[in-house]
Amino acid sequence: MGRQGPTEEVGDLAKPKVALWPGPPIYIALLHYPVYDRQERVTATALTTLDIHDVARLARTYGLKGFYVVTPLQSQQTLARRLIDHWVTGRGAAYNPTRMEALSLVRIADDLEAVVTGIEQEEGRKAKTVATTARRYAGSRSFGEIKKLLSKRGGAPYLILLGTGWGLTREVAEGADYLLEPIGGKGYNHLSVRTAAAIILDRLLGGVAR
Amino acid sequence: MGRQGPTEEVGDLAKPKVALWPGPPIYIALLHYPVYDRQERVTATALTTLDIHDVARLARTYGLKGFYVVTPLQSQQTLARRLIDHWVTGRGAAYNPTRMEALSLVRIADDLEAVVTGIEQEEGRKAKTVATTARRYAGSRSFGEIKKLLSKRGGAPYLILLGTGWGLTREVAEGADYLLEPIGGKGYNHLSVRTAAAIILDRLLGGVAR
């Protein structure tokens, strides 16, 4: 297929030029409450540790300033803290420094309000919230519209909201400043929150030529 | 923010129009061997059941014809079969039909050769392979180039290769018909294979306006 021979770079992990996202500071939050369960009841879901790893690595990849794990359950917060400590200051940090880099972005919060307050303290401005959902609601914005917002310099910080379980409740979705359209797909719309987060961040913040 | 009130559609899971991918049949394979471990030794990794779920749901979302889980380890194949049977023909099928739909795309194979043979039997043509990697190799193709190939009607089937662990070996990467450029990112390149698969499929096959 005309593949060329190897160069000096062959086999190295690709290191793209470090380019900070030029727009406003962007945060992401993974909500374990309030979300729907499969019967559309409002529930608090359990942590999935792989979600924390995956979304932290995405947050690092796309230059986000912070990743909030949101749960009101103290036992779950303890679990999350133990995981983060292991990789950020514990034995995991030496074992795998790239995980440390990613997991050092993680913060823990009781609820969405605490996230908004935390960002306001850090940035001196209230964040605009962007809810994501696989459901179709009126007034949702296209990926293109939200991408444009996120690239404006000097604006307010943004906070992207992800729901675990069967997704963010209608109250959270409709209470956000912006609601992002569903990812869509060929007649099927049941991705894991990890992979949905990947697609959403890549569409909104991915700088690679398409 | 000028969000409009709810319409009839509110709260429904978004059901985009069913539109089959217009190009050639596309398959994906998740290789557990041969891949690198963190010391760059060639190894066989253990299955991660969430990977199977996540990639199956992605395969269904992006209209792929099949998803091969590749491992030479018989104990791991048994584990994968048990998982698939549970969701496709067992109790899981009634519990969660959308998982059945996704997991019914999964096949199991001993090695890459068996995958290629399987697709050739199904399609009557040998598949062109597209290797994906976070490493930079000479002669890799851009997402745009590969996207164009995958949209040509009447062509050969394509097989996208994903590596677990620390990625596909150089032999597999360089032995493929095409090698896709790394996802890139802001100076950080350590995504999970699940989230990398999501971004790759969305960039290559996502039909949503950007």
Side-chain angles (χ1 to χ4, degrees), chain B:
Chain B
M1 299 309 313
R3 179 83 49 74
Q4 292 158 37
T7 68
E8 288 171 351
E9 299 165 298
V10 165
D12 286 345
L13 275 174
K15 290 205 180 152
K17 286 173 207 132
V18 177
L20 291 174
W21 179 250
I26 297 170
Y27 293 80
I28 197 163
L30 181 66
L31 272 69
H32 297 79
Y33 179 88
V35 293
Y36 289 125
D37 71 7
R38 57 194 298 272
Q39 261 97 38
E40 303 240 345
R41 292 170 304 209
V42 178
T43 192
T45 58
L47 291 189
T48 303
T49 56
L50 279 187
D51 286 352
I52 303 181
H53 283 287
D54 282 10
V55 177
R57 289 154 86 181
L58 285 164
R60 179 66 188 79
T61 299
Y62 290 94
L64 306 197
K65 274 196 77 177
F67 161 34
Y68 281 89
V69 173
V70 183
T71 173
L73 306 175
Q74 295 305 308
S75 61
Q76 297 283 295
Q77 292 195 1
T78 304
L79 175 65
R81 273 204 195 85
R82 205 182 313 152
L83 180 147
I84 295 162
D85 287 349
H86 173 76
W87 291 105
V88 174
T89 57
R91 278 184 299 159
Y95 176 78
N96 192 335
T98 64
R99 294 229 173 177
M100 174 183 70
E101 241 187 280
L103 287 168
S104 61
L105 295 175
V106 183
R107 299 103 191 261
I108 298 164
D110 286 331
D111 53 29
L112 179 52
E113 211 173 21
V115 178
V116 172
T117 306
I119 296 174
E120 195 171 1
Q121 282 169 354
E122 189 164 340
E123 302 290 341
R125 290 183 70 168
K126 207 166 174 183
K128 299 276 186 195
T129 51
V130 180
T132 66
T133 162
R135 290 157 207 269
R136 205 174 283 289
Y137 290 92
S140 68
R141 312 296 180 111
S142 71
F143 279 93
E145 284 176 89
I146 301 293
K147 188 181 175 105
K148 206 180 275 177
L149 285 175
L150 297 188
S151 65
K152 268 191 200 143
R153 286 166 189 270
Y158 282 89
L159 170 61
I160 298 168
L161 306 178
L162 301 169
T164 57
W166 271 249
L168 296 173
T169 60
R170 179 188 293 205
E171 287 65 30
V172 171
E174 295 187 342
D177 293 306
Y178 303 95
L179 184 53
L180 184 64
E181 65 179 336
I183 287 173
K186 301 184 188 310
Y188 184 86
N189 199 7
H190 305 277
L191 294 172
S192 71
V193 71
R194 303 172 286 282
T195 55
I199 294 164
I200 289 167
L201 290 179
D202 193 60
R203 287 189 186 175
L204 294 180
L205 303 172
V208 175
R210 298 257 159 88

Side-chain angles (χ1 to χ4, degrees), chain A residues 146-210:
Chain A
I146 300 292
K147 186 181 176 110
K148 207 181 274 177
L149 287 175
L150 297 188
S151 65
K152 269 193 199 140
R153 286 166 190 270
Y158 282 89
L159 169 61
I160 298 168
L161 306 178
L162 301 168
T164 57
W166 269 250
L168 297 173
T169 60
R170 180 188 295 206
E171 287 66 29
V172 172
E174 295 187 342
D177 293 307
Y178 302 96
L179 184 53
L180 183 64
E181 66 178 335
I183 287 173
K186 300 183 189 310
Y188 184 87
N189 199 9
H190 305 277
L191 294 171
S192 71
V193 72
R194 303 171 287 281
T195 55
I199 294 164
I200 289 167
L201 289 179
D202 193 60
R203 287 190 187 175
L204 294 179
L205 304 173
V208 176
R210 297 259 159 88

